């Protein structure tokens, strides 16, 4: 049933390639950037991220569910992505960053003043048949014990990266490999983010050939759902026969 939900969402593809430049840049698409397919998936609810949808409870049409981790370094957009796609009011454990933490935590965005200290949580229903429970992990490596607890029972993970500081993603990707969790990589495109050839990004992140690598804007609903669809397709493709 999960594979059918994913397949149905992909069948509604518009066939139009997504933008490959920084959102709002107004520049022409870069043919060398990470490809961004546009399946145009249908999701439940009328206003994901607002917390005002009538679907407080899971629909009776749902036939399957999966726990998905959303991981990445500090400031990469995990809280934003979960808040964007969630059909319920997302849970966020944001706390103001302190001077003590600033000595050990590097921040990509100078304007960032808060950080996740426990987890983010949201829920999204794909095609009325498959529910994804999204668990966002803290970005700092010092929260690894909590990170590993959140990983228990997860079917897979979505790893967000920022091309302005690719090295910051190495710990999160290494943690996923240590846990043996299959994952997809989403390049969250910020204004002014440098663009790279897909092969260059794969080499820099040391990704296996089959690992999905997709560009996204974590603030945009369709863009964020597309990367979740890419992850689900990967999980289905790599699942062991029952």
């Amino acid at each position: 049933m999960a594979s059918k939900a994913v397949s149905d969402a992909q069948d509604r593809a518009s066939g139009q390639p997504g933008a490959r430049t920084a959102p709002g840049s107004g520049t022409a698409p870069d043919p060398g950037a990470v490809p961004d397919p546009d399946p145009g998936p249908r999701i439940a609810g009328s206003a994901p991220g607002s917390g005002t949808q009538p679907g407080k409870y899971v629909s009776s049409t749902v036939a399957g569910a999966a726990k998905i981790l959303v991981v990445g370094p500090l400031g990469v957009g995990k809280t934003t992505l979960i808040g964007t796609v969630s059909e319920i009011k997302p849970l966020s454990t944001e706390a103001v960053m302190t001077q003590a933490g600033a000595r050990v935590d590097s921040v990509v965005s100078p304007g960032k003043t808060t950080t996740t200290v426990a987890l983010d949580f949201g829920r999204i229903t794909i095609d009325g048949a498959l529910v994804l429970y999204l668990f966002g992990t803290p970005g700092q490596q010092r929260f690894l014990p909590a990170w590993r607890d959140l990983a228990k029972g997860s079917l897979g993970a979505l790893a967000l990266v920022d091309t302005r500081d690719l090295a910051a993603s190495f710990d999160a990707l290494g943690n996923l490999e240590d846990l043996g969790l299959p994952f997809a990589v989403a390049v969250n495109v910020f204004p002014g983010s440098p663009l790279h050839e897909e092969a260059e990004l794969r080499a820099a992140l040391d990704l296996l050939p089959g690992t999905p690598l997709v560009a996204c804007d974590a603030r945009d609903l369709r863009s964020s759902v597309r990367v979740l669809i890419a992850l689900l397709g990967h999980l289905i493709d790599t699942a062991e026969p029952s």
Side-chain angles (χ1 to χ4, degrees):
M1 182 61 69
S3 60
K4 185 178 187 303
V6 175
S7 177
D8 289 346
Q10 291 173 331
D11 285 345
R12 274 183 289 276
S14 65
Q16 299 298 320
R20 298 174 182 175
T21 57
S25 66
T27 58
D30 181 353
V34 178
D36 187 10
D38 188 3
R42 184 183 68 194
I43 62 173
S46 58
S50 69
T52 60
Q53 296 82 336
K56 179 179 179 182
Y57 302 103
V58 174
S59 170
S60 60
T61 63
V62 169
K67 178 181 180 181
I68 300 295
L69 285 188
V70 181
V71 309
L74 178 65
V76 78
K78 302 181 296 295
T79 301
T80 299
L81 184 140
I82 291 175
T84 295
V85 303
S86 183
E87 64 196 17
I88 59 174
K89 184 176 181 180
L91 169 67
S92 179
T93 57
E94 291 275 289
V96 176
M97 299 176 68
T98 64
Q99 289 184 342
R103 291 196 294 267
V104 293
D105 298 331
S106 60
V107 183
V108 173
S109 174
K112 183 171 177 59
T113 59
T114 61
T115 182
T116 298
V117 294
L119 79 159
D120 296 309
F121 174 77
R123 187 189 81 199
I124 179 173
T125 304
I126 305 293
D127 275 7
L130 176 64
V131 167
L132 301 183
Y133 295 103
L134 306 176
F135 287 77
T137 64
Q140 301 94 318
Q141 190 71 358
R142 58 193 171 94
F143 289 123
L144 184 57
W147 204 98
R148 291 185 179 276
D149 285 340
L150 287 175
K152 294 177 180 177
S154 298
L155 187 64
L158 179 66
L160 289 177
V161 303
D162 182 349
T163 58
R164 297 174 298 178
D165 188 5
L166 288 176
S169 301
F170 293 168
D171 284 339
L173 295 176
N175 292 339
L176 292 176
E177 292 173 351
D178 290 343
L179 291 170
L181 272 180
F183 61 91
V185 175
V187 179
N188 192 13
V189 183
F190 293 87
S193 294
L195 298 174
H196 301 282
E197 296 281 352
E198 179 176 353
E200 294 176 345
L201 284 176
R202 286 187 173 278
L205 297 171
D206 195 22
L207 300 180
L208 293 175
T211 302
L213 178 63
V214 186
C216 78
D217 179 348
R219 303 165 300 177
D220 180 78
L221 173 61
R222 280 188 173 274
S223 181
S224 297
V225 172
R226 281 199 300 269
V227 299
L228 292 172
I229 293 292
L231 170 61
L232 289 176
H234 178 58
L235 296 179
I236 292 170
D237 291 342
T238 58
E240 296 183 359
S242 57

